[in-house]
Amino acid sequence: MAGPSKSLVLDPALQKYYELNANRYKYFRWTPRHAWIAFIYVGVIPATLGYIAYKTDGKYDLRGKRKGDTIAEW
């Protein structure tokens, strides 16, 4: 039958990786690089998407269009 057996030998390098990954929060430290990446994901990307959404609000109407009609309303 398929599946683990008592003679299964686990790779020590993979076991170490799994252990480190499970306890990643214990080894995390704030560095300038981590702070910069967090700032990008928390501040810059949402602000950019919000700006684009605000500027294009109501500009496009994708419902009820026929072939050849433009999607831009203004």
Side-chain angles (χ1 to χ4, degrees), residues 6-70:
K6 295 184 184 224
S7 63
L8 180 66
V9 178
L10 299 174
D11 186 7
L14 282 177
Q15 291 301 113
K16 184 178 178 182
Y17 173 75
Y18 296 148
E19 180 73 24
L20 178 68
N21 202 21
N23 297 314
R24 186 173 298 272
Y25 69 95
K26 295 178 184 176
Y27 302 105
F28 180 79
R29 290 191 181 156
W30 280 104
T31 62
R33 180 176 183 267
H34 289 145
W36 178 248
I37 291 172
F39 175 71
I40 295 294
Y41 281 117
V42 172
V44 175
I45 292 175
T48 304
L49 291 175
Y51 176 76
I52 292 170
Y54 179 75
K55 292 307 261 182
T56 61
D57 185 33
K59 185 174 183 181
Y60 302 110
D61 184 20
L62 301 176
R63 296 182 66 188
K65 297 295 180 178
R66 294 188 176 148
K67 186 176 181 179
D69 288 348
T70 179

